[in-house]
Amino acid sequence: MNIGEIAKRAGVSRSTVSYALSGKRAVSAATRRRILQVIDDVGYRPNASARALAEGRTRAIGLVIPPAGRRLTPIQLGFVADVVAAAGRRELDVLLSPSGGEHDRSFERMVRGRRVDGVILMEVRLRDARAARLRESGVPFVAIGHTADAATGYWVDLDYQGLVASCVRHLADLGHREIALINRPRELLDSGYGPARRALDGFEAAAAARSLSATASCCPDEAAAGETFIEDLLAARPGVTGLVTINEAALPGIERALRRLGRAVPRHISVTGVVGRHWAEEFHPPLTAADVPITDMAERAVELLAERLAEPGTPPRNVLLAPPISLRSSTAPPP
Amino acid sequence: MNIGEIAKRAGVSRSTVSYALSGKRAVSAATRRRILQVIDDVGYRPNASARALAEGRTRAIGLVIPPAGRRLTPIQLGFVADVVAAAGRRELDVLLSPSGGEHDRSFERMVRGRRVDGVILMEVRLRDARAARLRESGVPFVAIGHTADAATGYWVDLDYQGLVASCVRHLADLGHREIALINRPRELLDSGYGPARRALDGFEAAAAARSLSATASCCPDEAAAGETFIEDLLAARPGVTGLVTINEAALPGIERALRRLGRAVPRHISVTGVVGRHWAEEFHPPLTAADVPITDMAERAVELLAERLAEPGTPPRNVLLAPPISLRSSTAPPP
DNA sequence: GCCTGCGGTCGAATCGATTCGAAGCATCGC
DNA sequence: GCGATGCTTCGAATCGATTCGACCGCAGGC
C-alpha cells in the first residue's frame, strides 16, 4: 500500500496525494476529502524510509546513553523515558545507542549512516570524544551536561555548583560547623565528569565562604559502598553533623549505616544534597534536597534539538537549570 | 558523500561499489581494494534511508516500553539497555516507543510507517491490544511475557509459576507452615498481567500441595507500600514465618518494616522470591531468590526476533526461562 | 476580446542505495 | 579459428516518497 495506490483509488496523481497530506500546496476541498477518505479506509501511512530519502531528513533523533555495562542510575533511566515522550510529542522517533567500547559501531551507524537528524548526548564529559565526533561529522546535537568549550555548543545542564553551594549554606544557616560531601565515584570525577567536578567546586567554595570544616570524598554508585563510606567517615571525623550528597545510588546504604550507628536523622545528623525526587522521598526521613528535574531536562533537551533542526545556523543556546531545594525533614540544627 | 561519489573516485560504476561492500557478487581483489581504500579515506557509510528503501528492510527493530508515566522498575530499565546491546551485536538499531494513551501515535508511526522490521513488546498482558495490532499489521514481533494464545506467537518469558512454587517448596522444606506472597500491584493482576497471575497460581498450588497455611496479596510497586504491607500482614497474621515476593520495588520497605518490628531475617522470618539480582544483593541480609535474568531475556528476545526476520514463515518459537534459585542468606528454619 | 493571474492538478526529476540482465574480455577445448 | 564458459563490470530499473516546473481552465481587468 503506497502513495501510488492511494492516488489510483482517489483518481488523482501521486503528487496531489502528497500535497493533500502535507498541505504544502493548495488542494481543492473536494479532492482533499476524497483522498483522506481513501487513506482512512485503507489505513495508509507514508513509508518512513522513502520519505526520509526524499526529504533529506529522517524525523528521528538519536539518544546516546552510557554503555549498558555500567548500571544506569534511576535518574538516567527516567530521563530516557522522558526524552522518548517529549520527542513523541513533536512527532520524532528516538533511536537508542549506547556508546563506548564495543558499542561505537552503533554510534557510527547512527551518525554516519544518517539514521537520525540530530542527537542527544547523555552524561557528557568535560572533554568528550563523542561530542568531538559529532562536531566533526556535522550532526546537530544537544549535550546533557557541558563540555569544556561550553560556549560553542548546545546543552542542558543542572547547576550542580550552585545547588550544592545552596545545600552547604542551608546547613551553615542551621548552625552546622563540620560537614562532608558524598560525591560520585572517583573515576567519574577524574575523567572530568561535570556534575562531580562542579559539585566539588561548589561545596568547597561555599564551605570556605562560611568557614566550615569540610571534607569531600568520592563513593561508588552502590548502596553497599554508601554504607562503608559512612562508617569510615564517622570513624575518621566523628564531629560531622551535616552531609551533602549527589550520589543517589548510595542513599539506601547511607540510611542503613546511620541507623546502625545510632545517628538519628535529623536529630543527630542532617542530610541534604541533589538527588532524584524519587530517591529523596524514599529516604527515611524524606530528604530536604534539590530534586533533579529529569522530565524538565528531557523536555528542554528535545526542545533545543528540535529548534536547532528547524533553524540551522542559529547561535548555540543552552539551559542551566537550578531547581529549588525542597524542604522535607532531613535537616535540623546540630545537637 | 554518496555511493556515486565513491564510484567516481574509484573509477568504477556504482553497482560495483555496492557489490564490493555487500559481497553479493564477485569483485576482483584489485578493484575491491581500491574501492575500500577510497571508502576508508573519505569515511563513507551508506545512507540508511536509501538502503532501507531499496532493500525493503530497515535493519532496525522497535522496542515498545511501558508508558513513561508509570515508573519503570529497574528490571525493565536494565532490560532496555540489554536489548540495545544485544541488537547492536547483530547490527540492528533500536527504536524506542512508549505505548498506551497519548503515545499510541508513536506506536503507529513505527508500525505502519515501516520504520522497523520487527518489534519487541515489553510487559505483555494476557489479552493485549498492542499484540493484536501488530498481528493484524503483519509486523513480526516477540513478546516479553505471553498472551492468552501463547501457542501462536513468539515470546520469551520467565517461569514465574514454577519459580514461585520452588520458593514455596524451599520454605516448606525448611519447616515453615505459614507463609505469604507479596505480589505486584492489584491493577496489574486484574488486567491480566502474566507474571502476577502465574506467580499467584504457582504460590497457591505449591502451598496447597504441601498443606501450608498461605495468604497472597498485592502491593504497589513502591518501598513505602512495602512497609505498610508488612505492618498490616504481621498484624493480621502474626504467625507468618516465610515471605515470597516478586515485587522488587517494595523490598526496601519490607526490609525497613521487618527491622522496625524487630523481626530479624532469617532468624525470625525467612524472605525469598523472584527479583532482579541487584535487588537481591542489596537486601539485608542478601536474598535467597531466583534472579531475574534480564540480560539473558534480552538476548533471547533479540535472537528470536532476528531469526524470525531472517526466515519468515517458520513456526513460532518461544523460550521459558527458569533460572536457579541463588542461595544467599535470607532463609532458615522457622524459630 | 485578449492578456494576466491564480487556484488546482499533473508529470517528471530526484533522493541514494540494491539488484538484475547483459556486455566485455580472456581463456579453453575442439 | 570459433563458439562456449566464466569472471568482472556496467547500465538501467526499482524502491516510495517529495517537489519543481508546467499546464489548464476560469475569472477579472482593460
Side-chain angles (χ1 to χ4, degrees), chain A residues 43 45 48-49 52-53 58-59 77 84 91 93-96 98 105 109 112-113 115 223 255-256 282 284, chain B residues 43 45 48-49 52 58-59 77 84 91 93-96 98 105 109 112-113 115 223 227 255-256 282 284:
Chain A
R45 284 249 174 183
S49 305
L53 178 57
T58 60
R59 294 167 188 264
L77 291 161
V84 174
E91 305 269 282
D93 287 322
V94 176
L95 221 70
L96 226 52
R105 313 191 52 187
R109 262 203 313 279
R112 315 294 318 252
R115 260 226 143 126
E255 179 184 336
R256 271 200 299 261
E282 293 254 306
H284 274 239
Chain B
R45 285 249 174 183
S49 306
T58 60
R59 294 166 187 265
L77 292 163
V84 174
E91 306 268 284
D93 287 322
V94 176
L95 224 70
L96 227 52
R105 313 192 51 191
R109 263 203 313 278
R112 314 294 316 252
R115 260 226 139 124
E227 216 164 332
E255 180 183 337
R256 270 199 299 260
E282 293 253 306
H284 275 235

Side-chain angles (χ1 to χ4, degrees), chain B residues 40-311:
Chain B
D40 203 49
D41 287 350
V42 304
Y44 162 80
R45 285 249 174 183
N47 178 306
S49 306
R51 176 197 283 238
L53 178 57
E55 284 193 316
R57 63 179 178 136
T58 60
R59 294 166 187 265
I61 63 175
L63 178 59
V64 180
I65 60 178
R70 267 200 16 247
R71 288 199 69 76
L72 297 186
T73 71
I75 280 190
Q76 295 167 338
L77 292 163
F79 184 77
V80 171
D82 286 335
V83 163
V84 174
R89 259 174 258 128
R90 292 176 171 75
E91 306 268 284
L92 290 170
D93 287 322
V94 176
L95 224 70
L96 227 52
S97 167
S99 64
E102 54 157 339
H103 300 298
D104 285 343
R105 313 192 51 191
S106 144
F107 183 72
E108 285 297 313
R109 263 203 313 278
M110 217 173 63
V111 172
R112 314 294 316 252
R114 307 248 104 97
R115 260 226 139 124
V116 296
D117 297 331
V119 167
I120 292 178
L121 202 52
M122 282 176 73
E123 202 163 299
V124 111
R125 308 299 163 87
L126 283 174
R127 16 187 39 90
D128 198 292
R130 304 163 304 167
R133 191 89 188 78
L134 289 170
R135 234 186 279 270
E136 96 185 26
S137 296
V139 175
F141 71 97
V142 172
I144 305 302
H146 54 273
T147 53
D149 45 353
T152 71
Y154 278 72
W155 49 263
V156 175
D157 207 351
L158 259 197
D159 181 13
Y160 274 93
Q161 188 161 354
L163 289 172
V164 168
S166 295
C167 290
V168 170
R169 283 192 298 267
H170 171 60
L171 292 175
D173 289 343
L174 288 170
H176 293 266
R177 303 300 307 156
E178 189 169 355
I179 63 175
L181 172 71
I182 307 170
N183 208 334
R184 299 287 300 279
R186 168 148 310 281
E187 66 267 23
L188 281 181
L189 181 61
D190 289 345
S191 72
Y193 178 56
R197 182 78 253 154
R198 281 148 36 220
L200 180 57
D201 291 347
F203 179 78
E204 290 180 334
R210 295 297 189 95
S211 317
L212 304 183
S213 153
T215 34
S217 345
C218 291
C219 172
D221 283 343
E222 282 161 38
E227 216 164 332
T228 56
F229 183 98
I230 293 296
E231 286 164 6
D232 296 350
L233 174 70
L234 292 183
R237 306 200 48 208
V240 166
T241 59
L243 298 176
V244 179
T245 181
I246 65 163
N247 188 321
E248 51 177 19
L251 278 176
I254 294 174
E255 180 183 337
R256 270 199 299 260
L258 290 175
R259 185 183 336 241
R260 205 179 51 231
L261 296 174
R263 306 281 192 126
V265 176
R267 198 149 56 85
H268 302 129
I269 194 163
S270 291
V271 183
T272 179
V274 184
V275 301
R277 197 163 81 99
H278 184 70
W279 292 79
E281 290 176 346
E282 293 253 306
F283 198 84
H284 275 235
L287 276 191
T288 288
D291 303 337
V292 176
I294 47 170
T295 305
D296 217 28
M297 292 183 76
E299 172 63 30
R300 305 301 285 271
V302 173
E303 178 188 329
L304 245 53
L305 185 55
E307 182 184 307
R308 184 168 180 183
L309 294 177
E311 305 165 44

